[in-house]
Amino acid sequence: MKPTLLVRAVSSCVAVALLSIASFAFADDVSFGQNQLCGLQTTRPDHNAAVHVKTLQGRNGPIGYARFGHGTPLLLITGYRATLGEWNAYFLGELAKHHEVIVFDNRGVGRSTAVEGRYGPDYDMRDMAADAADVLAGLKLSRADVIGWSMGGMIAQRLALDAREQVASLTLIATAPPGPEAVPLTPAMQHVLSSSGADAFPKIMSALFPANAVADASKCFIGDMFAPRGYTGRPVSDAVAQQQDRAMTQWFANASAADALRRSPVRTLIVAGANDDVLADANARHLEQMIPRAKLDVVANAGHALMYQYPIALARHIEAFVSK
């Protein structure tokens, strides 16, 4: 090839590469506008006296759950040290306009606490995914759309691998893939999220929300939590928190799960906060590259707890995906 032609060819390749990079950087960016924290005047299911937490029997013990709404079933899996009460009530209410919504406590948490206070000496994402499958089986649901937030997104990925016939679609919010490509929580962040005492709440709020949303989040977070009548989430024991830590550590080392996800047939929506200080949005981009039928949306000015910052907008965004 003549030098002039070689230069032109290289220039063309560089231009195409730059265009691809630009498209990758901006095509999946979305904005939900102003924060929707505080003062929402819309339906929340926990104001309905008929909505309360029941238990069903899973293979490893009782599982606490709540079920409400009308439509196709939507199973939500919550995150690290969280009870089903940590979901934003307005987010759940918006989803319940089009779906039968099912929320439950992960093992060792809330009402999913065995009589002896534990579920065995060691368990991982696969075991917690089996619990999620038991919720569907106990409610006689053969299939559901599944939403997982944070650690719950890891459980949801495992569920899609182990019981794919039960997962109609997958929505992964502020979570991370398995294997060495993941960017784990830093030890400092893990310490903040597991902290307790008088100064724990402001630290956790600062971890979950961008700086410009922390003040409103601090005022409204507790009041906006899902609080069905008669339900109080028991404090998460140190033993359970440590076990969840170990489960996440194993997840970040699970290369075989990463390989399996690369062959997953499940239609997947990945939603990440551009300002997530807990699990960096680089995790979402790795997930997008890993899962064949994945769509990624990175939300501007959003932190880790997107369902509190944008409960209505996020619920509608998920509904648009699920209903396709």
Side-chain angles (χ1 to χ4, degrees), residues 99-113:
H99 298 279
E100 181 183 30
V101 173
I102 301 116
V103 294
F104 69 98
D105 286 323
N106 291 321
R107 67 168 63 185
V109 175
R111 296 279 177 86
S112 296
T113 304

Side-chain angles (χ1 to χ4, degrees), residues 44-63:
R44 49 184 295 168
D46 51 350
H47 285 177
N48 182 345
V51 175
H52 54 278
V53 176
K54 302 178 181 180
T55 59
L56 56 81
Q57 190 63 29
R59 71 193 76 181
N60 288 304
I63 301 174

Side-chain angles (χ1 to χ4, degrees), residues 114-131:
V115 174
E116 68 275 17
R118 63 186 181 89
Y119 280 86
D122 191 44
Y123 53 87
D124 59 13
M125 297 302 169
R126 171 164 272 162
D127 297 306
M128 289 188 279
D131 296 337

